[in-house]
Amino acid sequence: MSDGQTRVRKSDLPIRFVASVAMIAVATAAVYFGGWLFRGLTALAAIVMIVEWGDMHRVKRLWSGIGAVLVAAYLLVGTELLYPVVGTTLVARGDGITAAFRPATFEPAWWGFGAAVLIGVLLGLASRRATLAWGFVYIAVPAFALLVLSWNGAALVFWVLIVTWSTDIFAYFAGRSIGGPKLAPRISPNKTWAGLIGGMLGAAVLGWFFADLLGLGSPFLWLGAPMGLIAQAGDLYESWVKRRSGVKDSGHILPGHGGVLDRLDGLLAVVAATMLFLMTGLWTA
């Protein structure tokens, strides 16, 4: 994810645009149809991100491959074993029908997150690479959280995707058209404060619109801007990791975009924050 100050050759823009449309279409279809299609796509993305993380930190491909197998098994098996009996209910309120999330829906997720940490620690000990242990947790926990959100249907998943996408798009155009002071020049010299504010405003507007449209109601109506900030913090974190690793992109699998981790860094942060928000019961306030 990047703001408008990212230096992209004009000849690359059509490729980036087509690739972006294709990725959004695939993700939207997977969320809409759900089931094993969505789980499989999530697991595939996590597999690629684990390998990209390992390559950035110069981990032997053998251990990255083992991590990839473990994350796929963890996501596909774990979500089946922990799938709750209870889920979302619909509640009639003054302004219509709104989703109400039961706290018990998310209780099994604590076991899932604990399992991710345990697997990550064991992987790090076996490979003698602490960075691989952290990379596994960093990727597996949000990926599992995304699948947990889908336990309640597609609405929440669509919302976190839309908030992340709108942050990216509005940050790009605000940064490109306005420019101005740099946000974090030592970490990501091309990002600006204008991009940050534009991304948050875009997330606020579209987050409110789709929360209302999808029947999520309050407080999701008001969470767009904070999640836009979190998305850009996730982007900055990955930029910091890449700078420390001495690489420009996490990979080269996506035409005009770099790696999968480059595209999903903000989403990882937004999903993790949304999951934490729900699991602590703050949505009932």
Side-chain angles (χ1 to χ4, degrees):
M1 194 167 71
S2 60
D3 67 20
Q5 293 301 300
T6 299
R7 295 183 177 85
V8 181
R9 295 193 306 268
K10 290 184 178 181
S11 59
D12 290 339
L13 291 177
I15 298 174
R16 288 172 61 87
F17 176 77
V18 172
S20 297
V21 171
M23 286 185 284
I24 290 174
V26 169
T28 300
V31 175
Y32 179 80
F33 290 107
W36 284 105
L37 177 61
F38 178 63
R39 296 176 202 170
L41 182 63
T42 303
L44 178 60
I47 287 170
V48 177
M49 286 190 287
I50 289 286
V51 174
E52 290 178 348
W53 180 274
D55 288 348
M56 281 197 299
H57 292 87
R58 297 170 180 83
V59 175
K60 290 183 179 179
R61 271 294 179 93
L62 172 63
W63 289 111
S64 296
I66 292 173
V69 171
L70 288 174
V71 78
Y74 162 74
L75 293 174
L76 298 178
V77 176
T79 50
E80 282 295 298
L81 293 177
L82 296 174
Y83 190 88
V85 177
V86 294
T88 306
T89 57
L90 295 178
V91 177
R93 296 181 179 171
D95 56 351
I97 303 298
T98 302
F101 304 102
R102 299 177 180 178
T105 305
F106 305 103
E107 289 176 359
W110 291 110
W111 293 100
F113 297 142
V117 174
L118 177 60
I119 295 170
V121 169
L122 294 176
L123 180 62
L125 290 173
S127 64
R128 297 183 179 180
R129 295 297 301 269
T131 53
L132 184 58
W134 166 239
F136 185 91
V137 175
Y138 167 63
I139 293 164
V141 166
F144 184 81
L146 188 63
L147 296 179
V148 171
L149 294 183
S150 72
W151 289 350
N152 297 279
L156 259 178
V157 180
F158 274 126
W159 186 83
V160 298
L161 290 175
I162 289 164
V163 166
T164 306
W165 292 338
S166 59
T167 301
D168 194 3
I169 293 169
F170 279 81
Y172 175 86
F173 284 107
R176 186 181 180 88
S177 59
I178 299 173
K182 304 298 183 181
L183 176 62
R186 292 188 179 182
I187 299 174
S188 184
N190 298 320
K191 291 179 175 57
T192 65
W193 283 98
L196 172 67
I197 295 169
M200 291 178 64
L201 287 175
V205 173
L206 291 181
W208 182 91
F209 176 80
F210 281 97
D212 183 62
L213 180 67
L214 297 170
L216 294 176
S218 180
F220 293 96
L221 291 168
W222 319 112
L223 281 177
M227 290 300 173
L229 176 62
I230 290 170
Q232 297 188 74
D235 180 24
L236 282 174
Y237 172 72
E238 204 236 343
S239 295
W240 176 77
V241 170
K242 289 189 293 186
R243 182 168 287 272
R244 288 196 64 186
S245 302
V247 298
K248 182 178 181 294
D249 297 313
S250 66
H252 307 284
I253 194 171
L254 301 175
H257 289 272
V260 174
L261 192 54
D262 291 321
R263 291 300 89 203
L264 300 185
D265 48 12
L267 180 63
L268 294 178
V270 170
V271 170
T274 302
M275 191 74 253
L276 180 62
F277 181 83
L278 290 169
M279 291 177 74
T280 54
L282 295 176
W283 78 93
T284 60

